[in-house]
Amino acid sequence: MALSDVRVVSLKLPEEVYKEMVLRIPEGDRSNFIREAIMEKLQKTPKADKLLELEERMSKIEQSVGEVRKYLADLELLTYQHGRINPHTFCIDETDHQIVDYLLHYKGATTPELAEYTKTNRWLVLNRLRKIQRSSKKQFGKSIIEYYAGEKSGKKKAWWINEELIQE
């Protein structure tokens, strides 16, 4: 173990344990003795293998659920305009549906415009837009909505529906 790898630890010992250590271990060797005692005890303590096993199982389950969600989304794709994505698939409540409806109708909108339309604050709208963007990208590899900071169709810093994914 290199010296740069060490950490300083302070510990409290019962008086009788300290006196016993002072009697048995010379002053310059006590730090090494304590370090070796801790290392020895750690070697005897089983690692959290069960925890690692559970983490691996959870990861596999999450992956399987993701695949099932993708298959379910594929099934819904088959029922929506010959392989095009139904943007309402990614909505979790009425606010999301309002946002998607507005974007479908106007093709794009700024966050303040959507906040005014949904009668909520723009931070809620922004979080919902990002959530829709993430979930659609996760399921299909492409987002159904995109943010564009430049000017497009007379709007700056606006969210746009990805028309190639939703039109025939």
Side-chain angles (χ1 to χ4, degrees), residues 9-20:
V9 176
S10 101
L11 73 130
K12 295 181 181 183
L13 294 172
E15 183 71 26
E16 54 275 2
V17 173
Y18 177 75
K19 285 180 181 177
E20 190 68 30

Side-chain angles (χ1 to χ4, degrees), residues 12-74:
K12 295 181 181 183
L13 294 172
E15 183 71 26
E16 54 275 2
V17 173
Y18 177 75
K19 285 180 181 177
E20 190 68 30
M21 186 176 68
V22 169
L23 283 174
R24 294 183 186 200
I25 311 300
E27 194 171 330
D29 294 338
R30 291 181 193 151
S31 214
N32 286 338
F33 176 80
I34 293 169
R35 184 174 26 261
E36 288 169 9
I38 291 171
M39 303 269 283
E40 200 174 297
K41 183 71 174 180
L42 282 174
Q43 288 174 350
K44 292 178 184 175
T45 305
K47 291 182 181 173
D49 292 338
K50 197 67 174 171
L51 200 58
L52 290 173
E53 181 184 324
L54 289 173
E55 283 178 353
E56 288 173 11
R57 286 178 61 197
M58 188 65 161
S59 178
K60 287 178 184 175
I61 289 170
E62 287 173 345
Q63 186 177 359
S64 297
V65 168
E67 289 175 21
V68 168
R69 288 177 68 196
K70 185 176 181 340
Y71 294 139
L72 289 173
D74 288 345

Side-chain angles (χ1 to χ4, degrees), residues 78-121:
L78 297 175
T79 64
Y80 190 79
Q81 295 183 358
H82 308 294
R84 299 299 179 183
I85 299 170
N86 179 353
H88 288 281
T89 306
F90 308 101
C91 299
I92 58 170
D93 63 8
E94 190 54 39
T95 304
D96 285 359
H97 285 290
Q98 288 178 332
I99 291 169
V100 168
D101 285 340
Y102 192 94
L103 288 173
L104 284 170
H105 186 265
Y106 294 103
K107 307 297 180 218
T110 62
T111 310
E113 287 173 340
L114 289 166
E116 185 180 321
Y117 177 73
T118 58
K119 295 176 180 41
T120 59
N121 69 57

